Each structure stands twice: as C-alpha cells, then as structure tokens.
Amino acid sequence: MRRRHFMTVLAATAAMRPLAAGAQQNAMPVIGILHSGSPGPYTPNVAAFRQGLSETGYVEGQNVAIEYRWAEGRYDGPPALAADLVGRKVDVIVTRGGTPSALAAKRATSTIPIIFTSGDDPVATGLVASLARPGGNLTGVSMLIDELTPKRLELLSELVPQAKVIALLVNPNNPATENVMRDVKEAARVKGLQLPILKANSESEIDAAFASLVQLHAGALVVAADPFLSSRREQIVALAARHAVPSIYAWREFADSGGLISYGSSLTAAFRLVGTYTGKILKGAKPADLPVQQPTAFELVINLKTAQALGLTVPQSILARAGEVIE
C-alpha cells in the first residue's frame, strides 16, 4: 500500500515538472530595446536604463531578460526590428533614437506597451494624444532635442562672435532634418549669419563635410542631434580638432570626448527615467496613465582644454551659465 502511494506521488510530481518549468520560464518578463544607433557609443545610456530598472526591483539576468536590437544608424532598419520584437512576444518595447523607432514600434503593435525617447513633439508626430494623457500603448520622454538647435547656434555665435559663417551638419536621412534646417536658418537670419548646410550619412561623407568647411569660410559648426552622427562622435570631435573649427553639440558626451561645448537635456537622466517607467509597467501600470515626461533642466558643458587649444577665450557670460566646465 505504501509502495503504491509512493509511486502515485512520484508520477504526479513528474507530470507537474514540465508545467512548473514552463511557469518559471514565463515568470521572467522580457524587455525589447529598439535602438536606431550602435551599441558602443550608447553603453552609458544602457547602463542608466538598467539603473532606473533596478530602482523598481528588476535586474537583467535575474528577474528580467532584455532583447537588444540595433539599427546601426539606418532609418530603414527599425520597422523590421520592431516586427521581430513583436514576433518574440516581448512584454515591453523601449525605443531610442527618435521618432522613427517609436513610430515603427507603434505600427508593429497596438497591445504591447511602448516607452520611447523622442526629440520631436510626440503629440505633433502622432505618438500620443497628449503629454498628460498619452492614451493607447505609448508613453515616454520628450527630450526637446531639435527645438534647442537654434539655441545652440546662438550660444556658438556668442562664444565665437567673429564667426559670420556658421555651418550646420545634419543627417539628410533623419525625418526631423527639414524642420531643424528651417528653424536654424531662421535663427541665423535674425542674427545676420550665413548658414551653409552640410549633409552626411556615412563616415566618408562626414570627412567630406569637414573638408568643405575651408572653402565655405565657416568659422564654427553646429552638429545636429542625430543617432548616426552621435555614433560617429569620436570621428567628428577629432575632425573638429584637426580643422580647428569651434563646434557645438547636443549631448555632453561630445564635450567629454573633447568637443568644445554641448547644450541639451541629459541622456543619462532620460534613460534612467525610461528604466523606471519600464519597471512600473512590468508591475502593472498602463502607458496611458503615465504622462510623457519633459526635461526641466538642460546641461551646458564647456571643455576649456579644447577652448585653449582653439585659442578661444570663453566669455564669462557663458561660463556663468555652465553646469560643468572640463579643465
């Protein structure tokens, strides 16, 4: 009798094992990260995302898995990558690299929660119904990247007042480029500046753009915010030094790498917030109930070593506004 009872229990336990194993596997949620850039330059941002995620109790490899998809700066890449993540039935999709990645994810699914970072107005681009009440399955962080490009032109003109020709470097494949060029042209017109436009979407075109600065008699350069251009940060900073052209950038990472000056919102803070939002959604929050966040502070970072190498004296008016000075 005892043996019969033991065998019954053993058989029941064996039958339950596959179910238990499946339940344990399904218990670990999966986050899909869709990034329009390349892994290397964005390693600190991914670390900030993990930090925000950990603040809600999730640690990659322990109780959450992350699937990474990188478009390598190609704007035609996100749709296929988004479809792949949807096909893998991830629990949340996090997009980075502007509106194209977010729109690709939105078109791929209306049910999986999506958390984006965007430089455009997410209401105007159709990502959400409103900032306070996003509606649907999307929310995220609107970083006001492109709106600040005219301000960067003004800062650079203040730093290099003798420059009457200031060039603008853009990626022609970026859907936001037309709006950026329009706004910066208007800012240049108001200040009486000439604004030649340089376009580059490959390493060789970046080289060619800098080579043309001499013929254009450009005394300074504004580098537009763009995932591909950001992925070529080291190349751009090195060329700016080689051609001795004062340049301003959207992200402090450029100044950290030797760029002259940067002005924009904090990528680290944005990604940390996205990580926190992701954790909240994994715990049951709905994207429609999480308002789209906007930065309340902007970083002005000046690299004095680079300024000295260029023979520039940074005006006290700019130094007083700087959040950080690299010496």
Side-chain angles (χ1 to χ4, degrees):
M1 191 72 170
R2 264 185 220 155
R3 175 179 173 79
R4 198 172 323 142
H5 175 71
F6 172 76
M7 293 301 291
T8 302
V9 172
L10 186 63
T13 303
M16 289 174 62
R17 259 185 212 141
L19 293 174
Q24 185 176 8
Q25 184 177 4
N26 292 335
M28 182 180 286
V30 180
I31 301 167
I33 293 184
L34 171 56
H35 202 302
S36 60
S38 306
Y42 292 98
T43 299
N45 302 331
V46 175
F49 170 79
R50 291 196 190 105
Q51 182 182 357
L53 196 61
S54 69
E55 291 170 2
T56 64
Y58 289 98
V59 178
E60 184 180 8
Q62 293 184 16
N63 58 356
V64 69
I66 302 179
E67 294 265 355
Y68 298 89
R69 298 293 182 272
W70 302 90
E72 305 288 348
R74 294 175 54 246
Y75 281 98
D76 58 350
L81 297 177
D84 180 51
L85 289 173
V86 172
R88 290 179 179 270
K89 296 181 170 60
V90 298
D91 296 275
V92 182
I93 296 177
V94 174
T95 71
R96 170 70 184 100
T99 302
S101 296
L103 285 175
K106 182 177 182 179
R107 292 177 184 127
T109 178
S110 61
T111 56
I112 299 174
I114 298 168
I115 309 171
F116 60 81
T117 55
S118 172
D120 302 324
D121 179 350
V123 177
T125 56
L127 287 176
V128 296
S130 73
L131 298 182
R133 298 180 180 277
N137 61 320
L138 285 85
T139 188
V141 180
S142 176
M143 302 184 68
L144 307 176
I145 299 168
D146 299 326
E147 290 92 330
L148 293 176
T149 311
K151 178 64 177 178
R152 294 184 194 107
L153 175 75
E154 294 174 12
L155 281 167
L156 190 58
S157 178
E158 186 178 347
L159 178 59
V160 193
Q162 68 274 18
K164 301 306 177 186
V165 180
I166 297 181
L168 173 66
L169 176 63
V170 299
N171 179 355
N173 291 343
N174 190 326
T177 291
E178 289 297 326
N179 290 338
V180 169
M181 291 192 301
R182 180 199 63 214
D183 293 345
V184 180
K185 282 179 180 177
E186 175 58 21
R189 184 193 66 77
V190 170
K191 294 190 70 67
L193 299 171
Q194 295 182 45
L195 185 80
I197 306 292
L198 306 175
K199 299 180 180 181
N201 59 15
S202 67
E203 294 180 35
S204 60
E205 288 184 357
I206 292 174
D207 288 334
F210 273 90
S212 68
L213 288 173
V214 176
Q215 287 77 24
L216 295 170
H217 304 289
L221 174 69
V222 176
V223 178
D226 174 79
F228 169 70
L229 296 178
S230 293
S231 73
R232 300 307 308 165
R233 180 171 67 236
E234 301 295 338
Q235 177 190 7
I236 290 172
V237 168
L239 285 168
R242 185 185 310 164
H243 291 274
V245 55
S247 304
I248 190 168
Y249 312 91
W251 312 120
R252 66 157 301 133
E253 286 77 8
F254 278 88
D256 289 337
S257 298
L260 174 61
I261 184 172
S262 67
Y263 180 69
S265 51
S266 169
L267 282 175
T268 301
F271 268 84
R272 184 173 174 177
L273 177 56
V274 168
T276 302
Y277 262 24
T278 303
K280 288 182 178 180
I281 286 175
L282 290 176
K283 289 180 180 291
K286 304 297 183 185
D289 299 328
L290 296 174
V292 175
Q293 298 290 326
Q294 290 186 302
T296 56
F298 301 96
E299 299 178 313
L300 175 59
V301 181
I302 301 167
N303 192 316
L304 277 187
K305 291 192 297 184
T306 302
Q308 291 167 359
L310 292 169
L312 292 175
T313 300
V314 180
Q316 189 59 39
S317 59
I318 292 181
L319 286 174
R321 284 175 275 165
E324 183 175 345
V325 175
I326 301 172
E327 300 187 64

